[in-house]
Amino acid sequence: MKLHDTGVYLVNGAPQTSAPAGVTEADAKKGTIAYGILKAHNTGDSMQDLRMKFDSMTSHDITYVGIIQTARASGMTEFPLPYVMTNCHNSLCAVGGTINEDDHQFALSAAHKYGGIYVPPNMAVIHSYNREMMSGCGRMILGSDSHTRYGALGTMAVGEGGGELAKQLVGRTYDMSYPGVVAIYLTGKPAPGVGPHDVALALVAATYANGYVKNKVMEFVGPGVANLSADYRNGIDVMTTETTCWSSIWQTDDTTKEYFVQHGRPEAYKELKPADVAYYDGCIELDLSTVECMIALPMHPSYAYPIRELKANAKEILQAAQDQANRQLGGKVEMDLVGKICGDGRIYVDQGVVAGCSGGTYENICAVADIIKGKSCGNGEFKFSVYPDSMPTYLELVKNGAVADIVSAGGIFRECFCGPCFGAGDTPANGEFSIRHTTRNFPNREGSKPGEGQISAVALMDARSIAATAANGGYLTAASELTDVEYTVPDYHFEQGVYDKRVYNGWGHPEPDYALKFGPNIKDWPEQPALSDDLLVKIVSYITDPVTTTDELIPSGETSSFRSNPLRLAEFTLSRKDPAYVPNAKAVKALDEQRKAGELPAEVARVYDDLKKLGYAPDAANTNIGSAIFANKPGDGSAREQAASCQRVLGGAANFACEYATKRYRSNCINWGMLPFLVENPGALDNGDYVYLPGVRKALLEAADELDAVAVKPDGGLVKFTVKLGAMTDAERRILADGCLINYYKNN
C-alpha cells in the first residue's frame, strides 16, 4: 500500500503526479466522481461553500425520536424527503420495560403522520435496507448513524448527528466547505480466504492515526474494482467511517448495474467514473493481492495486524495491546490478552460473531457456511453466532442451505440486529476474548462495564477467518490457512415481497391528523438558554487521553434504551470514563439556577472578586454559568447527537479541545449550543478551573479569529489565554448565539 504525499492526477484511469499539458489543477478537480455528485446537490452559488439537500435520510431507533422531536419543535409539518426509520438497535434489549417498543410505535405513528418509511424490528439493519431499497447512482443519503456509507453503490452517504437531519426536515441545507477528495486506486485481486474486512482493516490501519483522509471523500477507482463483487465492495465501504473520512464513492460498472437489476431497481443505475483527467488531493495505491487476513486488536479498528504476524509474535503483540488497553481503561480493571496464549503457543478465543451491516451480508455468510460445513464448533467454552443483515438475506440463506450448515456445526443463527456492534448483544463473560466481523471494537462495545469490574475484549476479523477459527474449536485461525475450502457463492435472488408485506411506506402520503404515540419515556427536549454577552464556565472533567470517543462521552449498549428521555439518558454521560462528571455538572447547573433567581452564589462571587484583579467587572445578569470539559481530541466514533446533547441538558456550555476528531461531533456541539473551543495551550487549564470569556457573544457573531479567556484557579490564581472557534458558517454562529438549533428555528 502506498500513500502519496502530494496530490495526484488520474489520467485516462492511471495515476501520475504531474498535470498533463494544458490542464490546471482547478479544472482537473472537477473531474472526480465526488465533484459531480456534490455539484448536483448543492443549492448554493459557490462550490467552495456547499449548501446541500439530500435525496433521502435514514435513522435507527437510538436516534429518530430525538430528531423528530427537534423537527417538531422547529416547525416541521411533514417529511419533505423520504425518511427511513429502522429498528435494529434497541429491538432485543429489555432494559426499561416497554420503552423500546414504545419508541417503535412512536416511529410508526410518525411515519403515518409525516409520511415516512417504517421498517419493523428485526426486519433489516439500517444500512442494508438503504442499500437494498434507497441507494442509487449519483444520489446522496444522510443518516444519523456514523456508518451511513453506500459509496460502493454509487451513492454518497454521510453519517451525522440528529441536528443535521432535523435541518433537512425543516427545509434547510447541510452546510460545509468543499471537502478534499482522495483516490483509493485499487489493483489486483484478493487471495482466497481474504475478505472485505481484511481490506478495510488494512486501509483503516494505514489512514486513521495520520489523518490522511480525515473529513475527506474516499473515491475508489482503478482496475481492481472490477475484481470485487457488490457485497465485497459494500463490506469495504462501510468501514471507511473508521478512517474518519467524511464520505465515500466508488466508480460503477456492470457489477453495480447487476446489483440494481437484482433488487428490482434497474433505473437506479448509471455509470460513474472519473473524467479523462481528474485531480485528487491524495492517493492510496492498494494492490488487493497483497492484503492478508487481518485482526484489529482491542480497542480500536486501526490496531490492525496480519493474523500471520500476530501468531508469529503472539506474546509481544498481545502484551503491547494489553498494556495499551489497560492504560486506556485507567486502572479500573485489567484486561488480560496474554493469558489467551495456550501452552502450545496457540491463541484461544472464547467467542466468534458475524453480524450487522459489515459482517451479516449474503456472501460473507455463504463463505462462513462453506468453511464450517460438516465441522463442529465444539462443546467447550467457544461459542459462535451469526446475524444476517436483512430478512431477504435470511430467506435466501435458508433456501440455499447456509443456515442449516451453520446450525448443524453448532453455530447460533439470530435476528437482523446491530447489538454485537454497539454493545447490546452476545456480551462475553468477564475476561473473555471475542472476535467479531462488526464495525467497531471500542471499549464496552462488547457490553462489559469496567466501572463495575467487568471487562471483556473484542478484536475485529473477517467472517471467513472467524469461521475458520470456529471450525478449529476457537483457536485463532486465518481463513488463508485453509486449503480444503471451495467458496461456492450461490446466486442471490432478492425477494422484495418480504418488505412489501411488513414495511410501512407512507412517503408522499402524510396523514396530518394521525396522532403520535408517546410512551411514558418519550420527553421533549429541555429548553436551553441563549448565549449571554459574557460566559463563565467551570471545567468539570479534564481528559488527557490522545482521543476520546463518543462511546466514552455517552456509552452505547443498554444505556441507549433511554435515548428518548434526554434527562434520564444524560445520567450516563461520561459514566465509564469519569463518574464524577454528572454530579459536578449538575452542581454547576445549580449555580446558574441560583444566579437566574437573583442570588449570586458565594463560589461565583469569589471568582468575580478574583477577576476584578485584572480589571474585569462581570455582570451576573448577563453572564451565564455553565459546565465544560477539556479533552485533547474528542468525538471519534458514532454520529449520535447524544454525545453532545447529554452534556448540554446537564448545563454544558462549551468544550475545550486541541482538536476535534470528527466534523460530525463538532457539528453536534454547535447544534446543541455548546461552543467548540480550540486551545493551543492546554496547560492553562485544569479540572476545577473556572474560565471567564468576556464579550464572547459579540466575538462569536463578528467571527473574531481569537477570543480572550481567563482561567481562574481554585486558589485564586489567574491565567490569561486565547481560544479559537475555527471555521463556521453564519448560520452556525447564529445557532450558538441562540443557544441551540431549536431556538434558532424558533427565532428565524
Side-chain angles (χ1 to χ4, degrees), residues 36 67 158 291-292 298 301 305 313 413 448 455 565 633 673:
I67 292 165
V158 180
V291 177
E292 300 184 59
Y305 297 85
N313 305 279
F413 214 87
S448 61
I455 185 65
N565 187 330
K633 188 178 178 181

Side-chain angles (χ1 to χ4, degrees), residues 97-283:
T98 69
I99 63 177
N100 289 316
E101 188 60 21
D102 290 344
D103 283 0
H104 302 159
Q105 291 304 304
F106 173 88
L108 178 57
S109 67
H112 279 278
K113 185 177 184 68
Y114 301 119
I117 301 168
Y118 174 82
V119 183
N122 305 123
M123 182 61 62
V125 303
I126 178 173
H127 304 309
S128 295
Y129 183 87
N130 281 276
R131 289 171 188 154
E132 293 168 346
M133 301 299 293
M134 306 302 293
S135 62
C137 298
R139 295 181 188 175
M140 290 191 74
I141 296 178
L142 181 64
S144 56
D145 182 89
S146 49
H147 292 96
T148 307
R149 291 284 191 268
Y150 318 125
L153 299 173
T155 305
M156 284 189 70
V158 180
E160 275 284 1
E164 294 301 324
L165 278 77
K167 288 179 183 177
Q168 297 283 307
L169 289 178
V170 294
R172 305 300 178 102
T173 57
Y174 180 97
D175 303 340
M176 65 177 290
S177 298
Y178 187 83
V181 184
V182 175
I184 314 300
Y185 188 79
L186 301 179
T187 59
K189 182 179 181 179
V194 173
H197 224 36
D198 298 315
V199 178
L201 293 176
L203 279 168
V204 173
T207 58
Y208 172 76
N210 58 25
Y212 191 79
V213 295
K214 180 179 176 180
N215 292 332
K216 297 181 173 69
V217 178
M218 295 175 75
E219 185 159 307
F220 289 78
V221 295
V225 173
N227 295 326
L228 304 176
S229 69
D231 256 12
Y232 206 112
R233 298 177 197 182
N234 284 331
I236 297 171
D237 186 63
V238 73
M239 286 295 290
T240 59
T241 295
E242 301 311 317
T243 66
T244 70
C245 79
W246 175 71
S247 188
S248 63
I249 192 67
W250 292 55
Q251 66 185 46
T252 63
D253 54 18
D254 285 347
T255 298
T256 324
K257 182 177 182 179
E258 175 58 27
Y259 179 92
F260 287 116
V261 170
Q262 197 176 60
H263 288 79
R265 300 189 293 119
E267 74 286 351
Y269 175 75
K270 68 178 179 181
E271 185 182 33
L272 299 176
K273 63 179 182 178
D276 291 342
V277 179
Y279 177 80
Y280 293 89
D281 299 281
C283 178

Side-chain angles (χ1 to χ4, degrees), residues 329 331-334 430 444 447-456 555 558-559 572 575-577 579:
L329 290 165
K332 296 173 184 173
V333 67
E334 293 290 318
N430 182 55
N444 320 126
S448 61
K449 297 180 179 180
E452 298 180 17
Q454 306 167 20
I455 185 65
S456 54
E558 81 285 359
T559 60
F572 296 98
S575 58
R576 294 175 184 169
K577 187 67 184 176

Side-chain angles (χ1 to χ4, degrees), residues 332 540-543 573-582 687:
K332 296 173 184 173
V540 294
S541 187
Y542 192 92
I543 303 170
T573 312
L574 279 168
S575 58
R576 294 175 184 169
K577 187 67 184 176
D578 182 1
Y581 170 80
V582 170
N687 204 22

Side-chain angles (χ1 to χ4, degrees), residues 16-91:
Q16 61 182 53
T17 54
S18 58
V23 175
T24 67
E25 180 182 309
D27 285 339
K29 280 190 172 184
K30 299 176 183 178
T32 65
I33 302 170
Y35 183 91
I37 297 175
L38 292 172
K39 183 178 181 181
H41 290 82
N42 182 29
T43 65
D45 298 327
S46 167
M47 281 298 289
Q48 294 307 308
D49 298 305
L50 300 174
R51 303 291 181 263
M52 291 182 288
K53 290 195 173 182
F54 289 77
D55 297 296
S56 65
M57 300 198 312
T58 189
S59 296
H60 52 59
D61 49 348
I62 287 179
T63 54
Y64 57 56
V65 174
I67 292 165
I68 293 169
Q69 291 285 69
T70 300
R72 285 179 65 236
S74 303
M76 178 194 69
T77 56
E78 66 179 68
F79 294 156
L81 74 171
Y83 185 18
V84 174
M85 293 170 282
T86 66
N87 297 279
C88 50
H89 277 59
N90 287 310
S91 49

Side-chain angles (χ1 to χ4, degrees), residues 410-426:
I412 304 298
F413 214 87
R414 299 191 184 272
E415 302 89 345
C416 311
F417 181 50
C418 297
C421 187
F422 79 99
D426 267 323

Side-chain angles (χ1 to χ4, degrees), residues 66 521-526 562-571 573 645-646 649-650 672:
N521 189 59
I522 298 176
K523 305 296 183 184
D524 291 335
W525 289 111
F562 301 105
R563 73 274 177 195
S564 301
N565 187 330
L567 291 171
R568 194 169 182 189
L569 182 64
E571 294 289 334
T573 312
S645 66
C646 284
V649 301
L650 290 171
W672 279 106

